[in-house]
Amino acid sequence: MSYLFPTYQRWEVEPASASGSRITGTDGKEYLDFTSGIGVCNLGHRPKQVEEAVAKQLDSFWHVSNLFPQHVQEQAAQLLGTAAGLDCVFFANSGAEANEAALKLARKATGRSKVISFIKSFHGRTFATMAATGQDKIKTGFGPMLETFIHLPFNDTKALMDEIDKDTAAVILEIIQGEGGINVASEVFLKTVEEACKQNGALLIIDEIQTGIGRTGKPFAFHHFGINPDIITVAKGLGSGLPIGAVVAKSGLREVFGPGSHGSTFGGNPISTAAAVATMETIFQPSFLKEVSARGEYLIEQAETALSGFEDVKEIRGLGLMAGIEVAGSAMPILAEVRSQGLLVLPAGENVIRLLPPLNITREEINEAIQLLAQTMKNFAAATI
């Protein structure tokens, strides 16, 4: 019997070690990892530069509390703010905490409580972030949600314009809905949201938890669309596997989060922020991001070439190294079968196979993954004849 709550449907693979884009199980079998810890290990497992930064910080101090100024926090905040084109950073421990803080910041700054989010979105599992999430399955059994959260169809400009008003504190959205099926926002929709927020005095919050830190070939996914959010949230890829999240906001919001307004005992932990500094110093290099874009294009091209001929494959979509393969039925049997063949991939909703390889994945490894997927799809097609 396990002493753990059964909150996760765990796979049959137990890792013994991991390095780069590979995980070795306790049974000695090696797996090509196209999950990256659900978009966390953007530099693969145990990247040397991050490991060295963490080891150096471990030799200095592990925790002193946020009563003390810490140079490594300032370093991480400057890198984040500069890359995002924003000015103020609050460090948390996770994406849900970052979104919770962003929602508090928006409500306090505007004096309003209404928040607009979108169907199929995912923003976390705290009460505020559950309420913001546009998926009923996340909320089942937990009683009434927090009020004044409105969920609209994604990419629907008319629905947005009909709903946003002077009572709206914020609009929160993902540039790519990750858990909701790899649904990419249109530029027209994003520009409409930005302008509508300005006209109504609402704040635009971009949830970059899964899309940020280079995942799409830009530092943040909103950079592809020429918009200027008031607040972004990041986590996952920020610490290369160390727990960290952050809110990054415009300078006009600095005084809203004054002393005593918000806090986190472990937020900005020096070990995690040291990992974040090393991660960002690597990923935010223009040459690195250019190669991420090239690898992302290659991944989509190879997937389309190998998989588009299958009747069960409905669409292949994504941006950078965040891709989704929509299939006709449930994706779960395909995921289980391809895992048995040595490839780890994720679902995104019920019928989308989600690919989140490390950002430094090789083209040979992309070919290997796509070939395994294609063979699995071929086997499934043959079984239905």
Side-chain angles (χ1 to χ4, degrees):
M1 182 193 79
S2 173
Y3 282 89
L4 298 169
F5 271 109
T7 48
Y8 304 100
Q9 293 184 335
R10 297 183 191 272
W11 295 347
E12 68 282 358
V13 179
E14 181 175 352
S17 63
S19 179
S21 58
R22 307 279 173 169
I23 291 176
T24 302
T26 52
D27 60 357
K29 185 172 181 176
E30 187 177 83
Y31 297 85
L32 178 57
D33 184 10
F34 266 51
T35 75
S36 299
I38 316 183
V40 168
C41 302
N42 281 7
L43 292 172
H45 296 281
R46 295 173 41 235
K48 183 175 174 57
Q49 61 272 48
V50 179
E51 196 168 19
E52 290 174 349
V54 168
K56 182 179 178 181
Q57 185 60 50
L58 281 168
D59 281 342
S60 299
F61 59 91
W62 298 6
H63 176 85
V64 291
S65 90
N66 285 310
L67 296 174
F68 295 84
Q70 298 173 54
H71 177 67
V72 69
Q73 277 190 2
E74 291 289 350
Q75 269 188 292
Q78 183 178 4
L79 284 165
L80 260 181
T82 301
L86 297 168
D87 309 285
C88 314
V89 176
F90 173 85
F91 285 114
N93 302 290
S94 68
E97 283 190 21
N99 282 336
E100 184 89 17
L103 292 166
K104 286 179 66 175
L105 179 61
R107 286 177 58 149
K108 192 167 189 282
T110 61
R112 308 171 185 177
S113 58
K114 177 179 171 180
V115 175
I116 295 172
S117 64
F118 297 92
I119 296 167
K120 293 190 177 181
S121 63
F122 181 81
H123 299 292
R125 295 180 185 271
T126 65
F127 265 97
T129 57
M130 270 199 305
T133 292
Q135 299 188 54
D136 289 341
K137 67 181 182 181
I138 302 299
K139 310 172 189 183
T140 301
F142 293 105
M145 290 291 108
L146 295 179
E147 297 177 353
T148 67
F149 283 86
I150 309 295
H151 305 99
L152 302 178
F154 193 56
N155 274 333
D156 189 329
T157 56
K158 183 180 185 304
L160 173 80
M161 296 306 295
D162 288 346
E163 185 61 51
I164 194 168
D165 55 25
K166 299 295 183 182
D167 293 324
T168 304
V171 176
I172 183 170
L173 60 85
E174 302 155 277
I175 300 293
I176 306 173
Q177 292 184 326
E179 304 299 321
I182 314 298
N183 306 310
V184 184
S186 73
E187 185 169 355
V188 169
F189 174 67
L190 291 172
K191 293 281 182 68
T192 300
V193 173
E194 180 183 38
E195 184 57 32
C197 284
K198 287 178 182 176
Q199 290 176 359
N200 288 279
L203 298 178
L204 175 55
I205 304 172
I206 302 294
D207 178 338
E208 292 267 7
I209 305 302
Q210 195 165 146
T211 53
I213 318 300
R215 173 56 58 183
T216 66
K218 301 279 189 183
F220 303 99
F222 76 85
H223 287 143
H224 289 278
F225 299 95
I227 59 173
N228 185 21
D230 300 289
I231 302 168
I232 69 166
T233 54
V234 295
K236 286 190 181 293
L238 180 56
S240 288
L242 277 290
I244 187 170
V247 178
V248 194
K250 288 182 175 178
S251 59
L253 296 169
R254 183 184 300 275
E255 301 308 317
V256 179
F257 261 9
S261 59
H262 193 56
S264 171
T265 296
F266 295 107
N269 172 272
I271 307 301
S272 293
T273 46
V277 168
T279 299
M280 289 187 284
E281 284 180 340
T282 302
I283 291 175
F284 289 161
Q285 293 295 322
S287 58
F288 185 95
L289 291 168
K290 183 178 180 180
E291 187 56 33
V292 172
S293 293
R295 290 184 182 115
E297 291 173 5
Y298 185 78
L299 173 63
I300 295 291
E301 287 169 3
Q302 294 304 303
E304 288 177 342
T305 299
L307 303 175
S308 294
F310 292 103
E311 194 172 297
D312 282 348
V313 174
K314 299 302 180 184
E315 187 180 12
I316 299 170
R317 55 183 179 262
L319 187 61
L321 285 169
M322 185 174 182
I325 303 164
E326 183 177 344
V327 295
S330 173
M332 301 308 173
I334 299 170
L335 267 60
E337 176 59 26
V338 79
R339 192 161 62 242
S340 74
Q341 302 302 314
L343 174 65
L344 305 177
V345 292
L346 294 161
E350 179 62 25
N351 64 338
V352 175
I353 301 165
R354 178 172 26 161
L355 307 180
L356 295 174
L359 304 187
N360 50 8
I361 195 79
T362 67
R363 283 162 176 75
E364 291 74 20
E365 289 168 329
I366 290 172
N367 292 341
E368 180 184 346
I370 296 303
Q371 287 165 13
L372 283 168
L373 271 172
Q375 185 60 52
T376 300
M377 296 296 295
K378 183 178 180 181
N379 293 344
F380 270 85
T384 61
I385 295 174

